[in-house]
Amino acid sequence: MTYLKTFILRLFQFEGTKMHSNVLLMCKLLLLLLIAHHMFFKISDPFIPFIPGLDMFNTYPNVFNYSLKIIFGLSAFALLFNIKVRTASLINGCVIILSILASKPLFFNHNFICACALILAGLSNDKDPPYLFVLQLSLVYFGASINKFLEPDWWSGAFMDNWLGTARENPPYLYMSQLFPKMILAKLLSYIAMFTEFSIAIFILFKKTRRLTVWFIIVFHTTLFTLTSFRFGHFLESLVITLLAFNSITKAQLNIVYRQKSANVLKQFFRVLDMDKKQTWAPNNEGQHFWLQLKHKDQVLFNHKALKFVLLNTPNFFMLLFAIDVILYILLYNHRTTLFVLNAIFVWIMIVYFLPINWSKLFKKTPTYKLQ
């Protein structure tokens, strides 16, 4: 029983594999996302394949279908429970790509991006930075922008007007478009989308602008989601999860001092999430000015700066966010407006809280010290 419990807990552990912790976190969440969207059951025998030769498998019904499902299931199990994670991630990605090539109805950008991310994770290691994901994101946005640049309907605003005004009947767009001359708002939104995506493709390549670009991607797509109430399948979730590859999770121990009266619940919360046992918690002396202090390498962080650092370096915090999103989606599936409002409010709160802005200059200053 103890062995079984230990094995199950590996689902929530991210250290000690041949992947960086953040990349393994990304892979597990992408896989859970695909499973939640029924990817396993969507795998089938070839149907209108991109490669006509794959039709040969239809001579033997269910051989292709069951074979891919078995491989996908076994490799998914291995990845989730930290068994040969690089190989498992590579196989999962290849199975999804092969499924897409075998059936055109399965081709969606969000499925393809997840598959590519899993393949690139399998090709990465725990020694080098995940440069392959930089190239993937650059190619995604470069391809998206070039595709729009070559479409006359994007330059004229016809696509945006038809999509938001007719297909979606988007209230904010319909209201705001009345305040502008005909098609001006549609053109403006089209140009913003095209040149924003092209700029992202360029600036993500440079180390100095990469962090800011990642935040810009999050804000840009959250704004689109807020205006359109549309997730583009699970593209938005896929993109945010892929960006976790850029959130370098420290391997060092986190030494945390907390105020017992006000932060004891916080300590219990992180004790549950810290499956890798990288955090040590100790109560502070009464009368100290801080309620949370974090010592990490040569830094000492206090209060909300410390809390944000601990959250961003706790992989199961992101697993919890994913679980909350899935539960809300299930509970409010037939109440889409309520679901959208709750999602939008929650995401914007998270963005404002974690934005790399020195709020202490605007409000009360929270110091950061270097250890001597």
Side-chain angles (χ1 to χ4, degrees):
M1 193 68 180
T2 303
Y3 177 79
L4 179 62
K5 180 181 177 181
T6 303
F7 185 80
I8 292 174
L9 288 178
R10 293 173 71 172
L11 173 63
F12 306 101
Q13 294 172 345
F14 301 87
E15 294 288 337
T17 73
K18 296 296 182 180
M19 276 187 187
H20 288 295
S21 297
N22 54 313
V23 177
L24 180 57
L25 170 64
M26 179 204 73
C27 290
K28 288 188 179 185
L29 286 176
L30 285 178
L31 186 57
L32 290 172
L33 180 66
L34 288 167
I35 293 172
H37 285 268
H38 315 296
M39 188 67 201
F40 178 84
F41 299 102
K42 291 177 181 177
I43 296 173
S44 64
D45 283 333
F47 178 71
I48 319 177
F50 286 97
I51 302 175
L54 291 174
D55 271 328
M56 62 177 287
F57 286 102
N58 287 321
T59 308
Y60 310 95
N62 288 322
V63 170
F64 184 88
N65 176 17
Y66 291 161
S67 296
L68 283 193
K69 282 182 176 177
I70 291 171
I71 295 171
F72 181 81
L74 291 175
S75 57
F77 180 85
L79 178 59
L80 291 174
F81 292 96
N82 299 348
I83 304 169
K84 300 289 183 182
V85 291
R86 292 178 62 193
T87 303
S89 180
L90 187 61
I91 292 174
N92 267 302
C94 289
V95 167
I96 297 167
I97 292 290
L98 185 56
S99 300
I100 291 171
L101 291 175
S103 299
K104 288 184 179 180
L106 269 184
F107 178 76
F108 292 98
N109 286 332
H110 46 260
N111 288 336
F112 186 71
I113 288 173
C114 289
C116 289
L118 288 169
I119 290 172
L120 294 180
L123 296 175
S124 66
N125 57 52
D126 60 339
K127 303 292 190 299
D128 303 313
Y131 294 121
L132 291 174
F133 294 101
V134 175
L135 297 176
Q136 181 193 7
L137 272 185
S138 180
L139 286 173
V140 166
Y141 283 100
F142 184 74
S145 61
I146 293 301
N147 183 56
K148 292 177 177 62
F149 285 146
L150 297 177
E151 289 289 339
D153 284 351
W154 275 89
W155 289 103
S156 67
F159 177 88
M160 190 68 71
D161 184 68
N162 183 64
W163 178 53
L164 289 177
T166 305
R168 301 289 303 172
E169 295 184 349
N170 183 260
Y173 174 78
L174 291 173
Y175 173 77
M176 293 181 63
S177 62
Q178 297 175 0
L179 307 178
F180 293 85
K182 187 177 181 180
M183 299 299 288
I184 294 297
L185 179 61
K187 287 183 180 180
L188 179 63
L189 294 176
S190 296
Y191 297 165
I192 289 174
M194 289 189 292
F195 288 101
T196 295
E197 290 176 341
F198 186 77
S199 299
I200 290 172
I202 301 299
F203 289 115
I204 196 71
L205 295 172
F206 301 99
K207 187 176 181 179
K208 288 184 177 180
T209 57
R210 189 169 300 144
R211 187 186 180 202
L212 182 61
T213 304
V214 168
W215 272 109
F216 187 79
I217 291 171
I218 294 171
V219 173
F220 174 65
H221 284 285
T222 304
T223 302
L224 286 181
F225 169 66
T226 306
L227 292 175
T228 64
S229 69
F230 191 55
R231 294 193 183 196
F232 304 93
H234 57 76
F235 174 80
L236 183 60
E237 297 97 310
S238 305
L239 180 64
V240 172
I241 292 172
T242 302
L243 291 177
L244 289 174
F246 297 90
N247 177 39
S248 181
I249 296 176
T250 182
K251 294 181 180 294
Q253 194 76 12
L254 302 181
N255 299 306
I256 305 162
V257 179
Y258 68 101
R259 184 184 295 164
Q260 283 184 293
K261 289 184 179 179
S262 57
N264 190 58
V265 174
L266 196 63
K267 182 198 76 170
Q268 299 301 328
F269 173 73
F270 279 106
R271 282 281 177 86
V272 174
L273 295 184
D274 181 31
M275 294 294 182
D276 290 307
K277 306 303 178 185
K278 290 169 55 179
Q279 302 172 11
T280 57
W281 290 74
N284 69 356
N285 298 321
E286 293 298 328
Q288 294 287 350
H289 68 282
F290 59 84
W291 49 269
L292 196 69
Q293 173 189 285
L294 167 69
K295 294 181 180 179
H296 173 254
K297 296 182 179 179
D298 64 340
Q299 276 191 319
V300 181
L301 304 175
F302 293 94
N303 299 340
H304 284 288
K305 285 188 177 181
L307 177 59
K308 285 189 278 189
F309 189 93
V310 176
L311 286 170
L312 291 174
N313 285 275
T314 305
N316 283 311
F317 168 65
F318 298 97
M319 296 283 279
L320 178 62
L321 292 182
F322 178 82
I324 291 172
D325 185 65
V326 171
I327 292 170
L328 282 177
Y329 186 82
I330 293 172
L331 294 178
L332 300 175
Y333 182 80
N334 294 319
H335 305 276
R336 295 303 180 93
T337 301
T338 304
L339 177 62
F340 160 69
V341 171
L342 288 177
N343 274 332
I345 292 173
F346 180 74
V347 171
W348 278 113
I349 289 174
M350 295 292 292
I351 288 174
V352 171
Y353 185 70
F354 283 103
L355 268 174
I357 295 175
N358 192 352
W359 297 110
S360 62
K361 289 185 177 180
L362 302 177
F363 301 101
K364 185 178 179 180
K365 188 173 181 181
T366 304
T368 301
Y369 299 111
K370 294 284 186 179
L371 292 176
Q372 299 298 322

